[in-house]
């Protein structure tokens, strides 16, 4: 089961009771997909969805089962479906995405296990009716085609299919497999495919196309664009798109600061482009100049204004390419959506943490015995008053080899949380001592790599509303009374503007591994695995 990085939790106590479900009892098949489903309107978990591979019916035909549990882990619905491989398909990947009462099934046929997708089929599950559609493919004209028999490669069209804030989007088909031929059906065959994409389609939760946006009219390998829609929390009627510029010609312009990637703002109902904003470049705030380089997060809480949190580098750096070792802090800017006009901008520099932490202008932390560690930014939450709460975790890249000092890896230290006001002045600082751990896996890991491998202890947050938040970390620590390490859930609250910390010891069976899943408000979900046996349990903390 995939580890999910969000915990939903409201109140604390040491008194815990749980509701348990053994995954092996949900189905006799092999679990191949699982995910929590979120109810955006209630800002809470809707339920949990599982797909199991039950049987191989024929050489190229497989039987699957889906199961939906509600947020209390009660079984709501289930059903079976079969899928057939086409002429060139060797295996099937099944994944699912939830949107507004519907679950879309994406069924990819692959030529080889790590090769290109030769065909994509879809199904749509109406949760209210427990009605699963037959599998269908999308034609080049975006019509749903329900074939009685599995189609061959000749008639297949492969799309880039992704969720966004309101539904899904597909990139205009580059070419169908009949045109490309089998010689392109491998990982390298589509190396230049993005330069041939001409547009993007917006689909609703029922996988019906509503509108499209064209781009890349004259795209070629050395100079082309890509556009995608963001899948961020969205409290408005605006859908945000992201435009990137690619190719050697564009890279030269980007490096010189003569061209910048941008954000597109669409009316989600009509697809009308409202404005296009590029918050980057040589910017000035409070008499300080810096190079605004890349975006960390976008905050959109109305139809009128949008805020960007970006990384900044010194104005003295030679170019406009992001270099993590040269980041000096952050920029928060606000723009008017209708006009694209910048309304205000403020900077936060690493040196503003110096009263609490021995940190230099590029974010190097030089503490006794542990020089040259950094802070990895996990989350930055915007409050209604314009304040930002930053959640970071300290790490150090470890060098070495298999013969001396151990292999390369990373060392993880404390969590550091701090809050800044709307003008990016530091107003609050909190350091969480949660112990240290070193992971040496032969990879010389920076923060981004360590996060990719799931090595950090930070496990997510819950927004309680009214600018109150809970932040969580999950690791093993030695009890104060001594003994071997035990699983600990750390809770850092930011309630009424103040940070407080609490730890909860989690019970586990000998030899088991614990992971965390999202849960309804007031609960946490624990996934406990022993060998091939897994159970999930909701644990309420009163």
């Amino acid at each position: 089961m995939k580890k999910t990085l969000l915990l939903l939790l409201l109140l604390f106590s040491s008194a815990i009771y749980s509701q348990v479900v053994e995954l092996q009892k949900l189905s006799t098949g092999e679990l191949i997909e699982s995910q929590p489903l979120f109810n955006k309107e209630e800002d809470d978990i809707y339920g949990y969805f599982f797909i199991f591979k039950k049987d191989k019916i024929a050489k190229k035909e497989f039987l699957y089962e889906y199961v939906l549990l509600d947020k209390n882990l009660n079984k709501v619905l289930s059903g079976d479906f079969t899928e057939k491989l086409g002429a060139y398909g060797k295996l099937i990947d099944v994944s699912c995405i939830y949107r507004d009462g519907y679950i879309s099934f994406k069924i990819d046929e692959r030529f080889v296990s790590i090769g290109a997708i030769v065909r994509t089929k879809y199904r749509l599950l109406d949760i209210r009716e427990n009605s699963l559609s037959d599998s269908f493919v999308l034609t080049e004209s975006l019509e749903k085609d329900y074939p009685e028999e599995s189609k061959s490669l000749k008639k297949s069209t492969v799309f880039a299919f992704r969720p966004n804030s309101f539904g899904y989007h597909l990139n205009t088909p580059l070419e169908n497999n009949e045109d490309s031929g089998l010689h392109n059906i491998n990982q390298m065959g589509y190396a230049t495919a993005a330069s041939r994409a001409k547009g993007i389609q917006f689909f609703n939760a029922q996988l019906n196309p509503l509108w499209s946006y064209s781009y890349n009219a004259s795209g070629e390998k050395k100079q082309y664009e890509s556009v995608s829609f963001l899948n961020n929390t969205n409290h408005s009627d605006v859908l945000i798109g992201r435009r990137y510029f690619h190719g050697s010609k564009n890279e030269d312009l980007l490096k010189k600061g003569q061209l910048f990637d941008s954000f597109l703002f669409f009316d989600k109902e009509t697809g009308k482009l409202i404005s296009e904003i590029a918050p980057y470049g040589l910017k000035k705030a409070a008499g300080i100049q810096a190079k605004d380089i890349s975006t960390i997060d976008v905050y959109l809480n109305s139809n009128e204004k949008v805020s960007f949190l970006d990384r900044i580098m010194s104005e003295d750096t030679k170019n406009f390419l992001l270099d993590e070792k040269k980041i000096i802090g952050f920029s928060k800017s606000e723009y008017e959506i209708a006009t694209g006009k910048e309304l205000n901008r403020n900077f936060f520099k690493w040196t503003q943490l110096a009263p609490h932490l021995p940190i230099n202008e590029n974010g190097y932390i030089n503490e006794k015995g542990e020089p040259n560690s950094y802070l990895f930014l996990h989350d930055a939450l915007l409050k209604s008053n314009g304040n930002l709460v930053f959640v970071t975790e300290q790490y150090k890249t470890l060098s070495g080899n298999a013969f001396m000092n151990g292999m390369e890896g990373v060392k993880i230290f404390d969590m550091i949380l701090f809050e800044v006001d709307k003008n990016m002045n530091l107003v609050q600082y909190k350091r969480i001592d949660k112990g240290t751990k070193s992971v040496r896996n032969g990879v010389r890991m920076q923060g981004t790599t360590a996060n990719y491998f799931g090595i950090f202890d930070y496990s997510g947050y819950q927004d309680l509303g009214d600018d109150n938040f809970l932040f969580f970390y999950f690791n093993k620590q030695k009890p104060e009374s001594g003994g071997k390490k035990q699983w600990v859930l750390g809770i850092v609250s930011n309630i009424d503007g103040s940070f407080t910390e609490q730890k909860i010891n989690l019970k586990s069976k000998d030899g088991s591994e614990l992971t965390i899943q999202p849960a309804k408000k007031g609960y946490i979900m624990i996934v406990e695995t022993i060998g091939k046996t897994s159970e999930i349990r909701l644990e309420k903390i009163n």
Side-chain angles (χ1 to χ4, degrees), residues 233-250:
T233 302
N234 203 323
H235 302 286
S236 77
D237 299 318
V238 176
L239 176 64
I240 308 175
R242 190 78 194 267
R243 188 197 301 275
Y244 290 98
F245 294 96
H246 307 279
S248 57
K249 292 182 180 179
N250 281 335

Side-chain angles (χ1 to χ4, degrees), residues 303-355:
N303 294 332
E304 287 76 39
K305 298 177 183 179
V306 61
S307 296
F308 299 96
L309 179 65
D310 298 344
R311 300 173 183 87
I312 56 173
M313 299 196 310
S314 169
E315 63 175 324
D316 298 326
T317 53
K318 292 182 179 180
N319 56 52
F320 282 83
L321 297 182
L322 176 65
D323 184 341
E324 291 190 14
K325 294 182 179 180
K326 296 181 180 179
I327 295 171
I328 62 172
F330 310 104
S331 166
K332 188 184 77 170
S333 57
E334 186 178 48
Y335 285 77
E336 184 178 61
I337 294 174
T339 64
K341 178 182 177 182
E342 182 176 321
L343 301 176
N344 58 71
R345 181 181 294 267
N346 292 283
F347 294 154
F348 176 86
K349 302 182 74 174
W350 285 126
T351 50
Q352 291 174 240
L353 295 176

